[in-house]
Amino acid sequence: FRFSLAITQRSMAMMGSLRQFLGKCMDTLPAPERLVLSLCYYEDLTMKDLARILKVTDSRVCQIHSKAMKELKARLQSDTAFA
């Protein structure tokens, strides 16, 4: 039981660090990418909802989302603490 509790506590600490790191990375993204990710993941809006709100096509929202995710993935992979 102690071993699994230690793993859980360590996992939670790691998740907190990861969230903080991703938040900092998101802050450096261009405004449209940051907005799409925020609305998608924090407000649980669909791509169709985002397209309507941003007054762009669904495919444009998908392009912005993909670009933002690629950038976050690259930054995550380049950071030695999370690689």
Side-chain angles (χ1 to χ4, degrees), residues 32-33 36-37 40-41 47 50 59-72:
E33 294 172 23
V36 165
L37 292 183
C40 186
Y41 295 105
M47 296 286 181
L50 293 174
S59 62
R60 181 63 186 136
V61 171
C62 187
Q63 289 170 346
I64 294 169
H65 180 270
S66 294
K67 184 177 177 190
M69 293 303 288
K70 284 179 187 174
E71 181 64 31
L72 288 179

Side-chain angles (χ1 to χ4, degrees), residues 7 21-22 34 42 46 48-49 66 70 83:
I7 290 174
F21 178 74
L22 286 174
R34 190 170 55 246
Y42 293 113
T46 65
K48 195 170 282 297
D49 293 334
S66 294
K70 284 179 187 174

